[in-house]
Amino acid sequence: MASRLNPYLSFAGDARQAMEFYKNVLGGTLTLHTYGDTGGGGAGQGDKIMHGTLETAGGFTLMGADNPPGTEHEPGNNFAVSLSGDDPDELRGYWDKLSDGATVTVPLEKQMWGDVFGMCTDAFGIAWMVNISGR
């Protein structure tokens, strides 16, 4: 898969409803994974969305999730730019440049779902996510 750049939205517990709404608006294929699917989430969180992807026939990609347990939802700052794909050299190169001088909130490393993933906020205050597919 070629690397792609798309918006990633965060929700305060209603990601399923929001992503289903966007599917109704834009069409396409919606894939949702819950915290419970990966053995995480804790009490009352198992049905919350850990990751959702909407891909449309027109080439749009929209990703979203409920905020992870223990994190606060902040309307107005509830989005990030996501870079994802399966080319580790390319994506690590982007990460190295984006994270230079940034605030790294999740180091770029292997995660429980099998991919290499990291999050940072760059020097301009923009949140970035980099995901290198392990598949």
Side-chain angles (χ1 to χ4, degrees), residues 82-89 91-93 95-96 106-119 129-135:
S82 171
L83 282 166
S84 57
D86 58 9
D87 184 330
D89 293 334
L91 291 163
R92 282 183 189 280
W95 173 262
D96 290 344
V106 177
L108 187 66
E109 59 191 23
K110 189 164 186 164
Q111 302 296 322
M112 65 183 172
W113 61 88
D115 293 354
V116 173
F117 175 81
M119 291 176 56
M129 304 168 129
V130 174
N131 192 87
I132 304 167
S133 177
R135 302 177 220 339

